[in-house]
Protein backbone atom coordinates (compact mmCIF):
# COMPACT_ATOMS: atom_id res chain seq x y z
CA UNK A 1 0.00 0.00 0.00
CA UNK A 2 1.36 3.42 -0.95
CA UNK A 3 1.80 6.14 1.71
CA UNK A 4 -0.95 8.33 0.16
CA UNK A 5 -3.38 5.39 0.29
CA UNK A 6 -2.57 4.79 3.95
CA UNK A 7 -3.14 8.46 4.71
CA UNK A 8 -6.42 8.35 2.75
CA UNK A 9 -7.53 5.38 4.87
CA UNK A 10 -6.55 7.16 8.08
CA UNK A 11 -8.65 10.20 7.15
CA UNK A 12 -11.60 7.96 6.19
CA UNK A 13 -11.38 5.91 9.41
CA UNK A 14 -11.08 9.09 11.45
CA UNK A 15 -14.53 10.16 10.19
CA UNK A 16 -16.11 6.70 10.48
CA UNK A 17 -14.90 6.23 14.03
CA UNK A 18 -15.51 9.85 15.10
CA UNK A 19 -11.88 10.18 16.15
CA UNK A 20 -9.71 13.22 16.75
CA UNK A 21 -5.96 12.98 16.21
CA UNK A 22 -3.72 14.99 18.54
CA UNK A 23 -0.04 15.16 17.55
CA UNK A 24 2.99 16.51 19.37
CA UNK A 25 5.64 18.61 17.58
CA UNK A 26 8.14 15.76 18.08
CA UNK A 27 6.16 13.39 15.85
CA UNK A 28 7.34 12.57 12.32
CA UNK A 29 6.17 15.13 9.69
CA UNK A 30 3.59 12.77 8.14
CA UNK A 31 1.87 12.33 11.53
CA UNK A 32 1.92 16.07 12.25
CA UNK A 33 0.31 16.64 8.85
CA UNK A 34 -2.64 14.30 9.49
CA UNK A 35 -3.26 15.54 13.04
CA UNK A 36 -6.29 17.71 13.84
CA UNK A 37 -4.17 19.64 16.31
CA UNK A 38 -0.39 19.74 16.56
CA UNK A 39 1.01 21.41 19.63
CA UNK A 40 3.01 21.42 22.82
CA UNK A 41 1.95 19.48 25.92
CA UNK A 42 -0.16 22.36 27.25
CA UNK A 43 -2.25 22.92 24.13
CA UNK A 44 -2.71 19.19 23.58
CA UNK A 45 -3.90 18.66 27.18
CA UNK A 46 -6.44 21.43 26.66
CA UNK A 47 -7.59 19.97 23.32
CA UNK A 48 -7.91 16.51 24.90
CA UNK A 49 -10.12 17.93 27.64
CA UNK A 50 -12.35 19.77 25.15
CA UNK A 51 -12.65 16.88 22.65
CA UNK A 52 -16.22 15.88 21.85
CA UNK A 53 -15.26 12.90 19.65
CA UNK A 54 -15.76 9.28 20.69
CA UNK A 55 -12.11 8.40 20.20
CA UNK A 56 -8.96 10.42 20.96
CA UNK A 57 -5.92 9.10 19.11
CA UNK A 58 -2.91 10.64 20.85
CA UNK A 59 0.24 10.66 18.76
CA UNK A 60 2.87 11.42 21.33
CA UNK A 61 3.98 9.29 24.26
CA UNK A 62 2.25 7.27 26.97
CA UNK A 63 2.04 9.99 29.66
CA UNK A 64 0.28 12.25 27.13
CA UNK A 65 -2.32 9.55 26.45
CA UNK A 66 -2.78 9.15 30.20
CA UNK A 67 -3.29 12.90 30.60
CA UNK A 68 -5.95 12.84 27.86
CA UNK A 69 -7.74 9.94 29.58
CA UNK A 70 -7.62 11.69 32.98
CA UNK A 71 -9.05 14.89 31.53
CA UNK A 72 -11.71 13.21 29.40
CA UNK A 73 -12.34 9.76 30.95
CA UNK A 74 -15.55 8.98 29.03
CA UNK A 75 -13.67 8.94 25.73
CA UNK A 76 -11.74 6.03 24.31
CA UNK A 77 -8.11 7.19 24.34
CA UNK A 78 -5.73 5.23 22.14
CA UNK A 79 -2.03 5.55 21.30
CA UNK A 80 -0.26 3.95 18.30
CA UNK A 81 2.40 2.12 20.35
CA UNK A 82 2.23 1.10 24.02
CA UNK A 83 6.04 1.09 24.19
CA UNK A 84 6.17 4.84 23.52
CA UNK A 85 7.25 5.82 27.03
CA UNK A 86 9.49 8.63 28.27
CA UNK A 87 12.88 8.52 29.99
CA UNK A 88 11.95 11.56 32.09
CA UNK A 89 8.72 10.01 33.35
CA UNK A 90 10.61 6.76 34.03
CA UNK A 91 13.16 8.64 36.13
CA UNK A 92 10.51 9.19 38.82
CA UNK A 93 9.13 5.90 40.18
CA UNK A 94 6.14 6.08 42.53
CA UNK A 95 7.67 4.33 45.59
CA UNK A 96 10.80 6.53 45.62
CA UNK A 97 8.71 9.66 45.14
CA UNK A 98 6.43 8.75 48.06
CA UNK A 99 9.58 8.44 50.20
CA UNK A 100 10.90 11.81 48.95
CA UNK A 101 7.60 13.49 49.83
CA UNK A 102 7.64 11.90 53.30
CA UNK A 103 11.07 13.40 53.92
CA UNK A 104 9.76 16.87 52.97
CA UNK A 105 6.23 16.97 54.35
CA UNK A 106 5.85 20.76 54.42
CA UNK A 107 6.46 21.16 50.68
CA UNK A 108 3.92 21.75 47.93
CA UNK A 109 4.49 19.43 44.97
CA UNK A 110 4.66 20.83 41.44
CA UNK A 111 5.18 18.16 38.82
CA UNK A 112 6.05 18.66 35.19
CA UNK A 113 3.44 16.99 32.97
CA UNK A 114 6.13 14.55 31.74
CA UNK A 115 5.42 12.07 34.55
CA UNK A 116 3.16 9.08 35.09
CA UNK A 117 -0.48 9.31 36.25
CA UNK A 118 0.66 7.93 39.63
CA UNK A 119 3.10 10.82 40.12
CA UNK A 120 0.42 13.28 39.01
CA UNK A 121 -1.86 11.83 41.69
CA UNK A 122 0.84 12.59 44.28
CA UNK A 123 1.18 16.22 43.12
CA UNK A 124 -0.56 19.48 44.02
CA UNK A 125 -0.15 21.24 40.69
CA UNK A 126 1.00 20.06 37.26
CA UNK A 127 2.88 22.36 34.92
CA UNK A 128 4.30 22.22 31.41
CA UNK A 129 7.35 23.95 29.99
CA UNK A 130 4.96 26.59 28.62
CA UNK A 131 3.51 27.64 31.98
CA UNK A 132 6.01 26.48 34.66
CA UNK A 133 7.48 29.94 35.26
CA UNK A 134 4.13 31.69 35.69
CA UNK A 135 2.71 28.89 37.84
CA UNK A 136 5.68 29.00 40.22
CA UNK A 137 5.61 32.80 40.29
CA UNK A 138 1.91 32.76 41.22
CA UNK A 139 2.77 31.08 44.55
CA UNK A 140 3.94 32.96 47.66
CA UNK A 141 7.69 33.55 47.65
CA UNK A 142 8.15 31.66 50.94
CA UNK A 143 6.17 28.60 49.80
CA UNK A 144 8.35 25.49 50.07
CA UNK A 145 8.15 23.55 46.81
CA UNK A 146 9.22 20.16 45.51
CA UNK A 147 9.67 20.28 41.72
CA UNK A 148 9.62 16.93 39.88
CA UNK A 149 10.76 15.15 37.83
CA UNK A 150 12.89 17.40 35.58
CA UNK A 151 15.88 18.90 37.40
CA UNK A 152 16.75 21.01 34.35
CA UNK A 153 13.39 22.73 34.01
CA UNK A 154 13.21 23.08 37.81
CA UNK A 155 16.75 24.50 38.00
CA UNK A 156 15.98 26.95 35.21
CA UNK A 157 12.87 28.20 37.05
CA UNK A 158 14.90 28.46 40.28
CA UNK A 159 17.45 30.62 38.45
CA UNK A 160 14.78 32.89 36.92
CA UNK A 161 12.78 33.34 40.11
CA UNK A 162 15.56 33.26 42.73
CA UNK A 163 13.72 30.43 44.49
CA UNK A 164 15.18 27.32 45.94
CA UNK A 165 12.71 24.61 44.95
CA UNK A 166 13.75 21.12 45.93
CA UNK A 167 14.48 19.28 42.69
CA UNK A 168 13.85 15.64 41.87
CA UNK A 169 16.93 14.28 40.10
CA UNK A 170 15.38 13.38 36.74
CA UNK A 171 16.00 14.41 33.15
CA UNK A 172 15.13 13.71 29.53
CA UNK A 173 17.73 11.59 27.80
CA UNK A 174 17.48 13.57 24.56
CA UNK A 175 18.04 17.02 26.07
CA UNK A 176 20.40 15.96 28.86
CA UNK A 177 22.85 14.52 26.33
CA UNK A 178 23.50 17.85 24.67
CA UNK A 179 26.66 19.54 25.97
CA UNK A 180 27.42 23.26 26.01
CA UNK A 181 30.82 22.51 24.40
CA UNK A 182 29.11 21.09 21.34
CA UNK A 183 26.56 23.90 21.23
CA UNK A 184 29.37 26.47 21.49
CA UNK A 185 31.21 24.80 18.59
CA UNK A 186 28.06 25.21 16.49
CA UNK A 187 27.67 28.82 17.61
CA UNK A 188 31.25 29.60 16.54
CA UNK A 189 30.67 27.89 13.18
CA UNK A 190 27.45 29.88 12.71
CA UNK A 191 28.06 33.30 14.26
CA UNK A 192 24.95 34.74 12.59
CA UNK A 193 22.63 32.09 14.08
CA UNK A 194 20.26 32.51 17.02
CA UNK A 195 20.26 29.66 19.55
CA UNK A 196 16.82 28.49 20.71
CA UNK A 197 16.63 25.84 23.42
CA UNK A 198 14.05 23.77 25.29
CA UNK A 199 14.23 24.11 29.10
CA UNK A 200 14.78 20.34 29.40
CA UNK A 201 18.37 21.07 28.26
CA UNK A 202 21.00 21.27 30.98
CA UNK A 203 21.83 24.60 32.62
CA UNK A 204 25.11 25.16 30.75
CA UNK A 205 23.21 25.04 27.43
CA UNK A 206 20.35 27.20 28.72
CA UNK A 207 22.82 29.85 29.94
CA UNK A 208 24.16 30.39 26.41
CA UNK A 209 20.78 30.22 24.63
CA UNK A 210 19.28 33.35 23.07
CA UNK A 211 15.79 32.05 23.72
CA UNK A 212 14.43 29.32 26.01
CA UNK A 213 10.87 28.03 25.74
CA UNK A 214 8.44 25.19 25.18
CA UNK A 215 8.10 23.79 21.65
CA UNK A 216 5.29 26.20 20.74
CA UNK A 217 7.08 29.13 22.34
CA UNK A 218 10.18 28.34 20.26
CA UNK A 219 8.02 28.24 17.12
CA UNK A 220 6.31 31.57 17.84
CA UNK A 221 9.65 33.15 18.72
CA UNK A 222 11.07 32.17 15.32
CA UNK A 223 7.88 33.14 13.48
CA UNK A 224 8.02 36.64 14.96
CA UNK A 225 11.74 37.16 14.32
CA UNK A 226 12.17 39.09 11.10
CA UNK A 227 15.82 40.02 11.69
CA UNK A 228 17.50 36.61 11.62
CA UNK A 229 17.58 33.85 9.03
CA UNK A 230 19.51 31.10 10.79
CA UNK A 231 18.61 29.25 13.99
CA UNK A 232 20.42 26.64 16.03
CA UNK A 233 17.79 24.38 17.53
CA UNK A 234 18.50 22.63 20.84
CA UNK A 235 15.67 20.15 21.15
CA UNK A 236 14.12 17.10 19.48
CA UNK A 237 14.32 17.05 15.65
CA UNK A 238 10.55 16.78 15.04
CA UNK A 239 10.10 20.50 15.74
CA UNK A 240 11.92 21.44 12.53
CA UNK A 241 8.96 20.32 10.41
CA UNK A 242 6.71 23.09 11.76
CA UNK A 243 9.56 25.64 11.93
CA UNK A 244 10.42 25.06 8.28
CA UNK A 245 6.78 24.96 7.16
CA UNK A 246 6.11 28.35 8.77
CA UNK A 247 9.46 29.83 7.70
CA UNK A 248 10.56 28.32 4.37
CA UNK A 249 13.18 31.08 3.87
CA UNK A 250 14.94 30.44 7.22
CA UNK A 251 17.62 27.83 7.97
CA UNK A 252 17.38 25.51 10.98
CA UNK A 253 20.29 23.50 12.32
CA UNK A 254 19.48 20.93 15.01
CA UNK A 255 22.39 20.86 17.44
CA UNK A 256 23.51 17.32 18.21
CA UNK A 257 26.47 16.02 20.16
CA UNK A 258 27.68 14.02 17.24
CA UNK A 259 26.80 14.97 13.66
CA UNK A 260 26.71 11.29 12.64
CA UNK A 261 24.09 10.27 15.19
CA UNK A 262 20.33 10.73 15.47
CA UNK A 263 20.65 11.44 19.18
CA UNK A 264 18.10 14.27 19.00
CA UNK A 265 15.43 11.85 17.82
CA UNK A 266 13.41 10.79 20.85
CA UNK A 267 13.35 7.01 20.54
CA UNK A 268 9.89 6.94 22.13
CA UNK A 269 8.26 9.69 20.08
CA UNK A 270 9.69 8.14 16.93
CA UNK A 271 8.10 4.73 17.61
CA UNK A 272 4.90 6.13 16.09
CA UNK A 273 4.61 5.61 12.34
CA UNK A 274 1.88 6.05 9.73
CA UNK A 275 1.41 2.24 9.65
CA UNK A 276 0.86 2.17 13.39
CA UNK A 277 -1.52 5.14 13.27
CA UNK A 278 -3.55 3.28 10.64
CA UNK A 279 -3.75 0.02 12.61
CA UNK A 280 -4.40 1.95 15.80
CA UNK A 281 -7.49 3.55 14.26
CA UNK A 282 -8.59 0.37 12.48
CA UNK A 283 -8.43 -1.81 15.59
CA UNK A 284 -8.97 0.99 18.15
CA UNK A 285 -5.77 0.05 19.95
CA UNK A 286 -3.82 0.56 22.18
CA UNK A 287 -6.30 1.78 24.70
CA UNK A 288 -5.23 3.75 27.78
CA UNK A 289 -7.11 2.32 30.75
CA UNK A 290 -6.79 3.83 34.20
CA UNK A 291 -8.33 3.05 37.52
CA UNK A 292 -11.19 5.45 38.40
CA UNK A 293 -9.71 6.39 41.77
CA UNK A 294 -6.38 7.21 40.11
CA UNK A 295 -8.17 9.37 37.51
CA UNK A 296 -9.92 11.32 40.25
CA UNK A 297 -6.68 11.96 42.16
CA UNK A 298 -4.59 12.84 39.11
CA UNK A 299 -7.26 15.08 37.63
CA UNK A 300 -7.17 17.72 40.41
CA UNK A 301 -3.57 18.95 39.87
CA UNK A 302 -4.00 18.96 36.08
CA UNK A 303 -7.27 20.90 36.30
CA UNK A 304 -5.52 23.30 38.66
CA UNK A 305 -2.85 23.85 36.00
CA UNK A 306 -5.44 24.44 33.26
CA UNK A 307 -7.46 26.92 35.29
CA UNK A 308 -4.29 28.73 36.50
CA UNK A 309 -3.13 28.91 32.86
CA UNK A 310 -6.39 30.64 31.96
CA UNK A 311 -6.18 33.00 34.94
CA UNK A 312 -2.58 33.84 34.09
CA UNK A 313 -3.62 34.33 30.44
CA UNK A 314 -1.34 31.57 29.11
CA UNK A 315 -4.32 29.70 27.65
CA UNK A 316 -7.52 31.16 26.22
P1 LIG B 1 6.55 20.75 25.19
O1 LIG B 1 6.08 20.47 23.80
O2 LIG B 1 5.41 21.01 26.10
O3 LIG B 1 7.56 21.85 25.19
O4 LIG B 1 7.23 19.42 25.75
C1 LIG B 1 8.36 18.85 25.23
C2 LIG B 1 8.50 17.41 25.57
O5 LIG B 1 9.49 16.95 26.02
C3 LIG B 1 7.43 16.50 25.34
O6 LIG B 1 7.89 15.25 25.62
FE1 LIG C 1 10.39 12.07 27.24
FE2 LIG C 1 12.47 13.42 26.35
FE3 LIG C 1 11.15 11.90 24.68
FE4 LIG C 1 10.03 14.17 25.61
S1 LIG C 1 11.83 14.00 24.30
S2 LIG C 1 9.07 12.14 25.44
S3 LIG C 1 10.88 14.22 27.68
S4 LIG C 1 12.29 11.17 26.46
Amino acid sequence: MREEEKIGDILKLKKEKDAIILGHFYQIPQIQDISDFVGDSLLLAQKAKEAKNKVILFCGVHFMGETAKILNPDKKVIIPDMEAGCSLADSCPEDKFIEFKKQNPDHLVISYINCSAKIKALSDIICTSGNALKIVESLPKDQKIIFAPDKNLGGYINRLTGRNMLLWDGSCEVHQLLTSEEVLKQKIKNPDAILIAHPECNDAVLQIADFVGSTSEMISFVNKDNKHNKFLVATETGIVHKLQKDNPEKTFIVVTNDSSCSCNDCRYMKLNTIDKVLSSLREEKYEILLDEALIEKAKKPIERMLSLSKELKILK
Side-chain angles (χ1 to χ4, degrees):
M1 206 176 178
R2 285 177 22 244
E3 178 98 347
E4 303 86 82
E5 289 172 314
K6 290 177 194 167
I7 289 173
D9 280 4
I10 290 173
L11 299 178
K12 216 161 71 196
L13 276 167
K14 200 164 71 95
K15 270 199 189 146
E16 277 170 29
K17 305 248 175 185
D18 186 20
I20 184 172
I21 304 182
L22 303 178
H24 188 266
F25 286 125
Y26 293 165
Q27 292 295 288
I28 55 167
Q30 299 90 319
I31 293 184
Q32 293 190 38
D33 289 345
I34 49 126
S35 296
D36 295 291
F37 292 99
V38 190
D40 66 358
S41 313
L42 183 58
L43 178 102
L44 295 178
Q46 191 196 22
K47 294 297 173 197
K49 180 181 150 88
E50 291 167 355
K52 300 273 182 289
N53 310 66
K54 278 195 197 131
V55 176
I56 300 174
L57 170 55
F58 210 121
C59 296
V61 290
H62 190 266
F63 75 79
M64 295 179 172
E66 278 189 340
T67 307
K69 184 70 186 174
I70 294 164
L71 287 169
N72 211 340
D74 297 337
K75 308 297 176 190
K76 186 167 195 177
V77 178
I78 51 175
I79 58 174
D81 191 321
M82 253 324 173
E83 298 304 309
C86 167
S87 63
L88 181 51
D90 290 347
S91 70
C92 192
E94 187 191 17
D95 54 340
K96 296 217 169 74
F97 195 60
I98 291 176
E99 216 27 66
F100 189 63
K101 270 188 67 173
K102 266 193 202 149
Q103 284 159 14
N104 303 285
D106 51 349
H107 286 58
L108 186 104
V109 179
I110 303 185
S111 295
Y112 184 33
I113 200 161
N114 296 31
C115 65
S116 67
K118 286 180 179 164
I119 298 299
K120 288 185 175 81
L122 291 165
S123 308
D124 297 298
I125 315 179
I126 298 302
C127 72
T128 68
S129 49
N131 60 19
L133 176 63
K134 288 201 172 160
I135 285 188
V136 172
E137 275 178 334
S138 74
L139 300 168
K141 196 90 191 165
D142 58 353
Q143 173 68 57
K144 290 183 179 172
I145 300 171
I146 286 177
F147 190 93
D150 189 8
K151 63 176 177 188
N152 291 329
L153 175 62
Y156 175 64
I157 304 294
N158 270 347
R159 178 155 65 77
L160 293 187
T161 58
R163 296 200 185 218
N164 190 21
M165 297 188 294
L166 205 52
L167 308 179
W168 179 263
D169 187 13
S171 60
C172 155
E173 62 184 18
V174 178
H175 293 86
Q176 182 63 22
L177 211 65
L178 206 57
T179 64
S180 54
E181 289 78 15
E182 201 47 50
V183 178
L184 272 174
K185 270 191 216 160
Q186 289 291 332
K187 269 195 125 186
I188 292 164
K189 250 202 229 165
N190 301 281
D192 52 335
I194 292 290
L195 171 64
I196 57 171
H198 194 277
E200 285 173 23
C201 291
N202 64 60
D203 193 51
V205 171
L206 297 179
Q207 298 253 17
I208 54 171
D210 298 297
F211 178 78
V212 178
S214 75
T215 49
S216 10
E217 288 171 329
M218 289 162 96
I219 293 164
S220 27
F221 173 81
V222 170
N223 291 357
K224 281 185 203 142
D225 186 328
N226 45 28
K227 287 199 199 91
H228 303 93
N229 275 318
K230 204 191 256 185
F231 295 84
L232 294 172
V233 183
T235 191
E236 214 273 352
T237 42
I239 196 174
V240 173
H241 179 58
K242 176 72 175 152
L243 285 170
Q244 201 72 78
K245 213 171 167 177
D246 289 354
N247 303 277
E249 74 294 354
K250 295 178 184 165
T251 303
F252 300 99
I253 304 165
V254 177
V255 216
T256 55
N257 263 350
D258 171 356
S259 54
S260 64
C261 81
S262 320
C263 9
N264 285 40
D265 278 333
C266 168
R267 63 188 161 122
Y268 304 106
M269 287 279 183
K270 294 307 194 266
L271 278 178
N272 297 335
T273 60
I274 284 292
D275 282 316
K276 288 184 196 171
V277 170
L278 181 54
S279 49
S280 179
L281 267 181
R282 219 180 244 147
E283 294 163 50
E284 296 190 20
K285 64 179 187 185
Y286 296 92
E287 187 174 4
I288 301 280
L289 294 168
L290 295 171
D291 185 79
E292 253 178 62
L294 178 60
I295 290 184
E296 275 321 301
K297 273 195 190 158
K299 186 182 268 186
K300 285 189 193 118
I302 313 178
E303 294 280 14
R304 213 166 159 198
M305 165 188 85
L306 291 176
S307 57
L308 259 175
S309 298
K310 282 190 182 160
E311 266 172 50
L312 300 168
K313 298 195 173 28
I314 306 164
L315 273 178
K316 277 179 215 135

